[in-house]
Amino acid sequence: MLFLPPMNSVLRDDLFEDQYSMSLCEGLFRGVGMLQWVDDLRKENEALKSDLKASQSIAAELRCQVVEAKRKLQEEKGPGAMLERREQAWEREMAALVEEKEELAAELKHQRELDSVSQKDLDVMYPEYGMTSVDNQRLAKEKHWLITEGFGAFLTVVSQSEEFKSGLEEVYRVYRDVGYQEGLKDGYIYSA
């Protein structure tokens, strides 16, 4: 077993034959000092851990006491306090719903006013724009024909035109060529 002098001892020059031995001993003393310092830190850490555990248990007990005190307070106030809070929340919700209902009713009334244009109003409005009710009926019939038959007739004429057919034929040719090219690439990759 090696005997080490205490950390605060001073090394005398006459005890060592060379500087190397003296440096070695000083390093050893510093290492021992660091080990003692680490050991002191570990002890302090353990003490702090035990203090932390004690503090956590005290905090848990206090939380339980607070919850218990709140429960007792609610019991002392009785169910009336909880009922009163629920009624206040319900009143706030109802006020918000009533306000929303009033806004929707006002918007609906405004929309009805916009949608309720009478024939009399239209008869007055048509002459301002140079239209009569006969013109309006003719426009309605044209609109009906356009929706039911006009678009179909337009598509038939376009699909049978030479310009459309030549453009479509060009698209098919390019599509076919790209397909051949991709097929060749896949074949090379597969054979490799």
Side-chain angles (χ1 to χ4, degrees):
M1 177 132 197
L2 180 65
F3 172 74
L4 297 174
M7 288 301 299
N8 59 1
S9 68
V10 177
L11 296 175
R12 296 188 323 229
D13 291 337
D14 61 336
L15 293 176
F16 300 100
E17 294 175 7
D18 59 0
Q19 187 63 31
Y20 175 74
S21 299
M22 189 170 169
S23 297
L24 184 65
C25 286
E26 286 176 350
L28 183 64
F29 287 148
R30 277 194 300 265
V32 168
M34 286 183 194
L35 288 174
Q36 287 176 349
W37 179 66
V38 168
D39 191 42
D40 291 341
L41 287 176
R42 284 188 183 138
K43 288 177 184 175
E44 185 179 350
N45 188 20
E46 291 298 323
L48 290 174
K49 282 183 183 179
S50 65
D51 289 346
L52 178 65
K53 287 181 182 178
S55 297
Q56 287 175 340
S57 65
I58 291 171
E61 288 176 19
L62 289 175
R63 270 188 247 121
C64 291
Q65 290 175 1
V66 167
V67 169
E68 183 67 25
K70 284 182 180 179
R71 187 186 60 77
K72 285 182 180 178
L73 183 63
Q74 290 296 330
E75 287 177 358
E76 288 174 7
K77 286 184 178 180
M82 291 180 68
L83 183 60
E84 185 177 311
R85 280 187 294 183
R86 286 183 182 167
E87 285 178 355
Q88 290 172 352
W90 181 78
E91 287 174 2
R92 285 191 302 268
E93 289 178 18
M94 285 303 296
L97 289 174
V98 166
E99 184 178 325
E100 185 179 349
K101 180 182 174 186
E102 289 172 354
E103 290 173 2
L104 289 173
E107 186 175 335
L108 180 64
K109 181 180 177 183
H110 179 68
Q111 287 296 327
R112 284 185 181 160
E113 289 172 359
L114 292 177
D115 292 342
S116 65
V117 178
S118 67
Q119 186 64 38
K120 180 181 172 187
D121 295 335
L122 289 176
D123 289 339
V124 171
M125 195 168 60
Y126 287 142
E128 290 179 12
Y129 296 107
M131 295 180 65
T132 63
S133 59
V134 173
D135 291 333
N136 188 31
Q137 290 174 355
R138 185 177 52 81
L139 286 174
K141 287 179 184 178
E142 288 177 1
K143 178 182 173 185
H144 177 73
W145 176 86
L146 184 63
I147 291 171
T148 58
E149 299 175 24
F151 290 123
F154 171 76
L155 291 175
T156 302
V157 168
V158 168
S159 67
Q160 293 176 357
S161 70
E162 288 301 318
E163 294 86 7
F164 180 77
K165 286 181 181 178
S166 65
L168 188 59
E169 189 175 300
E170 183 67 21
V171 169
Y172 282 140
R173 185 187 61 75
V174 170
Y175 180 72
R176 184 186 68 229
D177 293 346
V178 168
Y180 287 151
Q181 187 65 30
E182 290 298 316
L184 289 173
K185 284 181 187 176
D186 290 343
Y188 289 131
I189 291 171
Y190 180 73
S191 66

